[in-house]
């Protein structure tokens, strides 16, 4: 058993810059054809998968491909690797191999409790992985949902490296027995719980995958709903899903115009010392200014 988290030396001051994570595409590490496509894709991030998308017989060969994948990494998007669970026969060796590649993040599956994150972080520290290598966590087990507040709290400690939650809806359906319906009615309460916890911990929160990759209308609806629920982006399984996700999780032209109007209004000399003003018949407070500035920064980062 590894030592628990505790105090560690970290040089990062955690200066927050917005990184779009609207479209985060899983690519099985064992699928050369899919890997070859990456430089041409417009997703914000890629998750190279060693876990569920790779058959047991291919696990070791897939892990051995990582160095080559990272030697030719497309510069534009974030590169994450999902390892096998640390409790599985592959997880510990996966983690060591991935740490050497210095990805932007390592996605841990089947996280149940804070200690699962702390133990992975200890391995990264012990192997001198740079602070820039973050940990992402799948939220896909009933235990993770019961412990989600404590797991998310680690996001407030830069030494934990925790940066992002990814909803694992297929595993949640499997482990709980809820019916997967097109409107996701039985999953929505848990998804909202994840969003809430992620915000409490200052983490990004990505929605789960949509298995029906041929029905792009249904997919666009699911993305719009996820954006309304507060998700930062969606995990994807197929390149055809990238465009809809990029659109749904970017501020719309109307939202940008509204944010500019709020910013301009507070910029007027007559409103300089005011905490609250009226704009187009609506009350606008300085908290709305902060919200508007955040949205404008996001739009600028995306180029929307
Ligand atoms: N990433 C990059 N490229 C992908 C891709 C992905 N996730 N999924 C498909 N492609 C590529 C295919 O290789 C194919 O390339 P080509 O134009 O050079 O022939 C093209 O996109 C069209 O693929 P298509 O024929 O429509 O799909 P498929 O039948 O080959 O694959 C899946 C369907 C679902 C098996 C495949 O999309 C996949 O493996 N997705 C990821 C699954 C995964 O990682 N799951 C774990 C997390 S839930
Ligand atoms: Mg899973």
């Amino acid at each position: 058993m590894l030592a628990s988290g505790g105090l560690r030396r970290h040089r990062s001051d955690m200066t927050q810059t917005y990184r779009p994570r609207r479209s985060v595409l899983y690519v099985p590490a064992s699928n050369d054809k899919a890997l070859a496509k990456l430089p041409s894709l417009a997703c914000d991030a890629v998750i190279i998968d060693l876990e569920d998308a790779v058959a047991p017989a291919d696990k070791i060969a897939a892990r051995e491909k990582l160095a080559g994948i990272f030697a030719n990494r497309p510069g534009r998007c974030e590169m994450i690797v999902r390892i096998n669970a640390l409790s599985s026969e592959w997880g510990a060796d996966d983690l060591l191999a991935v740490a050497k590649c210095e990805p932007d993040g390592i996605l841990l599956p089947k996280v149940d409790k804070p200690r699962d994150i702390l133990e992975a972080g200890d391995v990264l520290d012990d192997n001198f992985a740079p602070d820039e290598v973050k940990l992402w966590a799948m939220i896909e087990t009933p235990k993770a949902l019961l412990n989600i507040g404590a797991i998310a709290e680690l996001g407030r400690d830069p030494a934990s490296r925790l940066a992002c939650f990814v909803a694992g809806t297929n595993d949640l359906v499997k482990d709980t027995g809820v019916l997967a319906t097109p409107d996701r009615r039985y999953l929505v309460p848990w998804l909202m719980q994840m969003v809430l916890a992620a915000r409490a911990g200052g983490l990004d929160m990505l929605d789960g995958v949509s298995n029906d990759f041929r029905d792009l209308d249904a997919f666009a609806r699911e993305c719009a709903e996820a954006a309304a629920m507060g998700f930062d982006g969606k995990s994807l399984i197929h390149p055809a899903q990238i465009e809809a996700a990029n659109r749904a999780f970017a501020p719309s032209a109307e939202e940008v115009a509204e944010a500019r109007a709020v910013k301009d209004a507070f910029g007027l000399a007559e409103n300089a010392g005011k905490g609250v003003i009226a704009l187009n018949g609506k009350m606008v407070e300085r908290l709305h200014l902060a919200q508007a500035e955040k949205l404008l920064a996001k739009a600028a980062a995306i180029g929307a």
Side-chain angles (χ1 to χ4, degrees), residues 259-290:
R260 283 223 179 89
V262 169
K263 195 169 175 214
D264 291 349
F266 272 107
L268 294 173
E270 70 212 52
N271 293 330
K274 292 188 184 164
V276 58
I277 59 174
L279 180 64
N280 301 327
K282 287 188 191 142
M283 177 189 78
V284 184
E285 295 176 309
R286 286 201 177 259
L287 71 91
H288 297 111
L289 175 60

Side-chain angles (χ1 to χ4, degrees), residues 136-166:
W136 291 23
M138 296 296 305
I139 303 297
E140 59 182 349
T141 67
K143 275 191 184 164
L145 278 173
L146 292 173
N147 293 327
I148 195 156
I151 300 171
E153 191 59 28
L154 293 177
R156 295 290 170 198
D157 175 7
S160 80
R161 299 176 186 257
L162 185 62
C164 187
F165 279 165
V166 184

Side-chain angles (χ1 to χ4, degrees), residues 25-28 33-34 37 41 49 53 82 213-214 237-239:
L25 178 66
Y26 284 105
V27 187
K33 211 166 100 183
K37 262 196 133 55
L41 300 178
D49 193 21
R82 183 167 75 173
F213 62 89
R214 300 282 181 225
I237 51 166
H238 194 280

Side-chain angles (χ1 to χ4, degrees), residues 59-168:
K59 294 280 189 198
I60 292 172
R63 181 198 298 147
E64 284 169 353
K65 280 213 249 155
L66 287 176
I69 295 169
F70 276 83
N72 302 303
R73 60 177 285 173
R76 199 184 35 76
C77 60
E78 272 191 300
M79 295 277 284
I80 316 304
V81 180
R82 183 167 75 173
I83 63 171
N84 288 286
L86 288 173
S87 58
S88 75
E89 64 180 286
W90 306 285
D93 287 338
D94 284 352
L95 184 55
L96 292 177
V98 175
K100 284 201 194 106
C101 298
E102 300 192 1
D104 297 295
I106 299 173
L107 175 55
L108 305 174
K110 312 290 188 299
V111 167
D112 279 334
K113 54 194 182 306
R115 177 164 289 273
D116 297 337
I117 310 282
L118 295 171
E119 288 182 357
D122 284 344
V123 173
L124 295 181
D125 290 345
D126 292 348
N127 287 275
F128 306 103
D131 298 345
E132 289 71 23
V133 178
K134 301 298 178 195
L135 286 171
W136 291 23
M138 296 296 305
I139 303 297
E140 59 182 349
T141 67
K143 275 191 184 164
L145 278 173
L146 292 173
N147 293 327
I148 195 156
I151 300 171
E153 191 59 28
L154 293 177
R156 295 290 170 198
D157 175 7
S160 80
R161 299 176 186 257
L162 185 62
C164 187
F165 279 165
V166 184

